[in-house]
Amino acid sequence: MPDGVINPPVPQAMTLALPPAHGEEGDLRTILRSLRAGWRWLLAGWSAGLALAVIALWLVTPAYTATMVIGPMARIGAAATGSRVPVSSGRDSATGAESGAADESLSDFARYLELFGSGPVAEQLAREPDVLHALFPDRWDAGEGRWRPPPGPLPMAKRALLALVGRRDWVEPDGDRVERALRERLLIDMLRSGPMRRISFRHADRATAVDLLGRIAAATDAHLRSEAARRSAAQIAHIKLRLDAVTVAVHRQALSDLLLDQERVAMMIGVDLPYAADMLQPPAAGMLPDWPNPAAVVPLAGLVGLVAAGFALSARHALKEHGTGMERVP
């Protein structure tokens, strides 16, 4: 560049963090000083968070958590049901699942976990009035013996919004609503890295939580047992029908072996033991409600209020410094 020509000033990007001018402190010290000066705002934010948490805890109905521990049903051992898959020596026999990739095989226990409280199990539970009354107590009017919309400002606002778009809120629960309610309250956790699972269910009444969790488990196991019995009976009926039509001795012997295997399966399905899941720990709940936990909610709410107040003070200071920096630009 020729001598005597002064470099033009490079415009700086507009940011909230401005470089400190001569004799001024850095951004961090300035922010800390702003927070120290605004301690009243920090105290107000912390107090507001605590107050909101206390109000919310008074408004929310506490709930009990019922838990149970289950594992795959044993096939061998003193307390086992025995193998339900027919195994014959010296020849191939029918198996529980068709051959394919390893991830295509689905065990009875995996089906149990997938169907727990959902699908056909929820439909079956929806046919029991006491289960519906326990799951939706705010919609059941025991005095008049009928279902009603839930009271309160929030449900009324929801019904008003649905009415604006030409829809209406449901009144009498069905299987789909039961499945949604169970999905919101059920939690399945893995115990360590083994096959056992801990299943939790939350309800406002302790006895109801324990009873409903046991009912869901029994309904799921009964559904899988009935499906297995139905499939086995259909196969036995089909094999007997084919036996009446087949005359070749070799084919009749093969069908007789298959019939024997399926009758063994049907016999093991009928054993009066759990079909898919063994209950290692029956449903139980504590004597006191454990949700929500005030010891965790109140301090967390105070911390959130404190952080929100600190962020508001920092943003206010940054905007103020930004406005001062803009005024300095000629």
Side-chain angles (χ1 to χ4, degrees), residues 184-263:
E184 294 174 356
R185 304 183 187 188
L186 282 172
L187 181 63
I188 301 179
D189 295 323
M190 177 184 296
L191 287 182
R192 302 179 181 88
S193 59
M196 293 186 298
R197 298 291 187 273
R198 177 187 288 114
I199 303 180
S200 305
F201 179 77
R202 185 178 296 123
H203 196 273
D205 183 74
R206 177 179 177 273
T208 303
V210 175
D211 179 66
L212 283 181
L213 185 57
R215 287 196 180 197
I216 299 169
T220 306
D221 196 82
H223 172 74
L224 290 174
R225 184 192 299 273
S226 64
E227 283 297 306
R230 181 183 64 83
R231 295 174 64 90
S232 179
Q235 294 184 40
I236 290 175
H238 179 73
I239 295 173
K240 289 182 177 180
L241 182 63
R242 296 298 300 169
L243 271 174
D244 295 336
V246 173
T247 58
V248 181
V250 177
H251 295 172
R252 289 185 60 86
Q253 182 62 41
L255 290 174
S256 298
D257 293 339
L258 287 176
L259 179 60
L260 178 61
D261 290 338
Q262 290 302 323
E263 288 178 344

Side-chain angles (χ1 to χ4, degrees), residues 143-167:
E144 299 184 3
R146 64 181 182 87
W147 295 98
R148 64 178 182 183
L154 292 180
M156 292 178 61
K158 178 183 177 182
R159 291 195 295 271
L161 291 176
L162 290 176
L164 289 177
V165 297
R167 298 172 58 186

Side-chain angles (χ1 to χ4, degrees), residues 2-322:
D3 297 339
V5 179
I6 302 177
N7 295 333
V10 179
Q12 296 183 354
M14 294 179 60
T15 59
L16 293 179
L18 298 176
H22 180 68
E24 293 185 357
E25 297 178 345
D27 291 334
L28 181 58
R29 291 185 178 182
T30 305
I31 293 175
L32 292 178
R33 186 177 61 182
S34 175
L35 295 177
R36 191 183 306 114
W39 64 270
R40 293 181 180 85
W41 291 95
L42 297 177
L43 180 61
W46 177 72
S47 302
L50 293 181
L52 291 176
V54 172
I55 294 174
L57 289 175
W58 276 101
L59 295 177
V60 174
T61 303
Y64 298 82
T65 302
T67 60
M68 59 181 289
V69 178
I70 61 173
M73 189 62 197
R75 301 294 178 230
I76 58 176
T81 60
S83 176
R84 289 195 297 268
V85 178
V87 179
S88 300
S89 59
R91 64 174 181 84
D92 297 333
S93 63
T95 57
E98 63 180 9
S99 59
D103 57 354
E104 292 181 4
S105 299
L106 194 63
S107 65
D108 293 330
F109 187 65
R111 293 186 179 94
Y112 181 92
L113 296 177
E114 185 67 25
L115 290 175
F116 196 88
S118 63
V121 177
E123 292 286 346
Q124 179 179 346
L125 293 173
R127 302 188 190 103
E128 303 181 15
D130 50 347
V131 173
L132 296 180
H133 301 165
L135 285 177
F136 308 99
D138 57 339
R139 293 181 176 267
W140 174 248
D141 190 344
E144 299 184 3
R146 64 181 182 87
W147 295 98
R148 64 178 182 183
L154 292 180
M156 292 178 61
K158 178 183 177 182
R159 291 195 295 271
L161 291 176
L162 290 176
L164 289 177
V165 297
R167 298 172 58 186
R168 62 184 297 268
D169 190 20
W170 62 278
V171 176
E172 185 172 354
D174 53 7
D176 179 65
R177 294 295 176 172
V178 170
E179 182 178 359
R180 294 186 186 183
L182 294 180
R183 191 185 306 118
E184 294 174 356
R185 304 183 187 188
L186 282 172
L187 181 63
I188 301 179
D189 295 323
M190 177 184 296
L191 287 182
R192 302 179 181 88
S193 59
M196 293 186 298
R197 298 291 187 273
R198 177 187 288 114
I199 303 180
S200 305
F201 179 77
R202 185 178 296 123
H203 196 273
D205 183 74
R206 177 179 177 273
T208 303
V210 175
D211 179 66
L212 283 181
L213 185 57
R215 287 196 180 197
I216 299 169
T220 306
D221 196 82
H223 172 74
L224 290 174
R225 184 192 299 273
S226 64
E227 283 297 306
R230 181 183 64 83
R231 295 174 64 90
S232 179
Q235 294 184 40
I236 290 175
H238 179 73
I239 295 173
K240 289 182 177 180
L241 182 63
R242 296 298 300 169
L243 271 174
D244 295 336
V246 173
T247 58
V248 181
V250 177
H251 295 172
R252 289 185 60 86
Q253 182 62 41
L255 290 174
S256 298
D257 293 339
L258 287 176
L259 179 60
L260 178 61
D261 290 338
Q262 290 302 323
E263 288 178 344
R264 290 171 51 199
V265 172
M267 180 180 62
M268 298 312 300
I269 290 175
V271 175
D272 188 16
L273 286 173
Y275 175 80
D278 195 5
M279 190 176 297
L280 306 178
Q281 177 181 316
M287 299 302 298
L288 297 176
D290 54 1
W291 183 91
N293 185 7
V297 173
V298 174
L300 181 60
L303 179 61
V304 170
L306 185 65
V307 172
F311 178 79
L313 284 175
S314 301
R316 177 175 176 272
H317 171 75
L319 292 174
K320 183 178 179 181
E321 290 294 327
H322 176 67

